Structures are given as C-alpha cells and as structure tokens.
C-alpha cells in the first residue's frame, strides 16, 4: 500500500478454530487497478483454557521443537533466517503427518494440545519460565498425559514436594522435585 493508505485490522479468530496452515488473500484496488497477494500462514496454537493466547505464528514459537526434533533438524530450523523458518517448520510437520490424505495433521494437533497444556499448567511466572521450558513441560510435550501421577508431600515442614509420573505405554516413570518455594519442579530421576 502506498504511504498514507488506510490500514485495516481484521480479527481472524472467528475463522481459525484449530492449528494448521491457513490461506490469506488480500486484494487492494488502487487507482482503478486491482492488486492481489496470496500467502499462507501457519497457526500453531489457539486460545488456552484460561482465556490467554499462546503465540500463534510458528516462527514465533519454534523453540519447543527441540524436544521432539531428531538429529540436526532443530539446529537447521534455529539457524535459518526468520523469513525461511515457517517453511522449514511446515515441512517438518508435513513429514510427520500420520494421515496426509486428510486436511488435518493429527500429530501437529496433538503437539499443539500438549504445548497449550504445558503453558497453562507448568509455567512458573515468578521465574519467567513458560510451561514448555520446565522439566515437567518437556516430559509432557514428549510423552503426553501420564497414565498416573502420584504427589508426595514433604515429610517435614520446609521439605520438598515430589511428583511421580507413570507412563504404562512406554514402561517408564519420571520423578520431579519442587525447587523450594518456586513452584518449579525439576526432573530428579527416571526409571
């Protein structure tokens, strides 16, 4: 648009209900001439249960991929110029689409659900840590909902609280201990 042209803000929330790739076409009439530009944009996450929003553009939140990317995939994405990052991330998810014949990428949807849950439940605001940056968030992103969770209160006043997450499907458990007074749980063991 030429300098001084009117800008229009459009709330796309009513049309975007799930994460995925969305097309956008903008048509501008300027001095009796139409100009059209078509782009697509990825949406990684929609509204969280608490009413807040996780970052929506893939390149704005690619860091959690480090927990699930194989080999040098994450390093390649992280090292790419920002202008190329979205296409690399889109390709990353395209390669992992369990049912490419459908319009949805079920694995990406599950990942986004896990990411939303981690942000909503494991964030440690007093430390400035998003939920996916915590040990519990990382394990949740990698493995999903535990089969069972046991919470153990400290035996003495001032002691640490523990959580043990059991995953029957992978026959593993993860032991987390709260860092005293922080609300952040560190991974201290796994079996």
């Amino acid at each position: 648009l030429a300098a001084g042209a009117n800008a229009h803000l459009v709330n796309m929330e009513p049309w975007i209900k799930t994460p995925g790739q969305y097309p956008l076409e903008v048509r501008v009439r300027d001095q009796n001439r139409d100009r059209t530009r078509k782009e697509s944009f990825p949406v990684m996450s929609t509204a969280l249960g608490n009413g807040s929003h996780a970052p929506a553009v893939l390149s704005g939140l690619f860091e959690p991929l480090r927990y699930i990317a194989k080999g040098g995939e994450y390093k390649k994405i992280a090292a790419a110029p920002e202008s190329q990052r979205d296409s690399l991330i889109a390709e990353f998810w395209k390669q992992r689409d369990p049912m490419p014949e459908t319009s949805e990428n079920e694995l990406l949807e599950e990942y986004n659900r896990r990411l939303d849950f981690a942000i909503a439940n494991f964030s440690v605001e007093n430390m400035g840590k998003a939920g996916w940056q915590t040990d519990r968030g990382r394990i949740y992103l990698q493995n999903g909902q535990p089969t069972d969770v046991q919470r153990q209160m400290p035996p003495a006043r001032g002691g640490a609280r523990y959580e043990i997450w059991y995953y029957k499907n992978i026959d593993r458990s993860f032991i987390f201990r709260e860092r005293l007074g922080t609300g952040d749980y560190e991974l201290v063991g796994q079996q």
Side-chain angles (χ1 to χ4, degrees), residues 91-108:
E91 183 61 29
F92 174 89
W93 286 111
K94 183 179 178 183
Q95 292 173 1
R96 286 161 176 76
D97 190 348
M99 295 189 289
E101 65 277 3
T102 66
S103 61
E104 295 84 28
N105 182 332
E106 296 77 11
L107 188 60
L108 175 58

Side-chain angles (χ1 to χ4, degrees), residues 33-177:
R33 195 169 119 207
D34 279 338
R35 294 182 187 175
T36 301
R37 178 151 182 183
K38 295 179 183 179
E39 294 283 341
S40 66
F41 63 95
V43 172
M44 176 175 255
S45 182
T46 55
L48 302 174
N50 62 8
S52 64
H53 289 267
V57 179
L58 285 173
S59 63
L61 193 60
F62 70 92
E63 291 91 351
L65 290 178
R66 77 180 74 213
Y67 301 141
I68 63 168
K70 304 282 188 243
E73 289 176 312
Y74 175 78
K75 288 180 183 176
K76 181 180 176 183
I77 292 169
E82 196 169 325
S83 61
Q84 296 174 8
R85 213 172 274 152
D86 283 349
S87 62
L88 289 172
I89 294 169
E91 183 61 29
F92 174 89
W93 286 111
K94 183 179 178 183
Q95 292 173 1
R96 286 161 176 76
D97 190 348
M99 295 189 289
E101 65 277 3
T102 66
S103 61
E104 295 84 28
N105 182 332
E106 296 77 11
L107 188 60
L108 175 58
E109 289 177 7
E110 173 62 15
Y111 173 80
N112 284 326
R113 188 193 64 72
R114 290 179 186 185
L115 182 60
D116 285 349
F117 186 88
I119 291 170
N121 293 283
F122 306 130
S123 293
V124 186
E125 294 188 22
N126 62 343
M127 295 177 70
K129 288 174 88 172
W132 61 267
Q133 293 173 315
T134 67
D135 287 350
R136 290 187 300 171
R138 175 177 55 86
I139 297 301
Y140 192 89
L141 274 173
Q142 292 171 332
N143 301 297
Q145 181 73 34
T147 308
D148 187 35
V149 175
Q150 289 185 358
R151 292 178 175 85
Q152 298 177 352
M153 298 306 287
R157 179 176 246 170
R161 295 186 294 183
Y162 285 84
E163 285 188 3
I164 304 171
W165 291 11
Y166 297 96
Y167 288 91
K168 288 184 181 174
N169 59 328
I170 58 172
D171 195 29
R172 291 183 78 184
S173 60
F174 298 89
I175 304 165
F176 301 94
R177 177 180 61 214

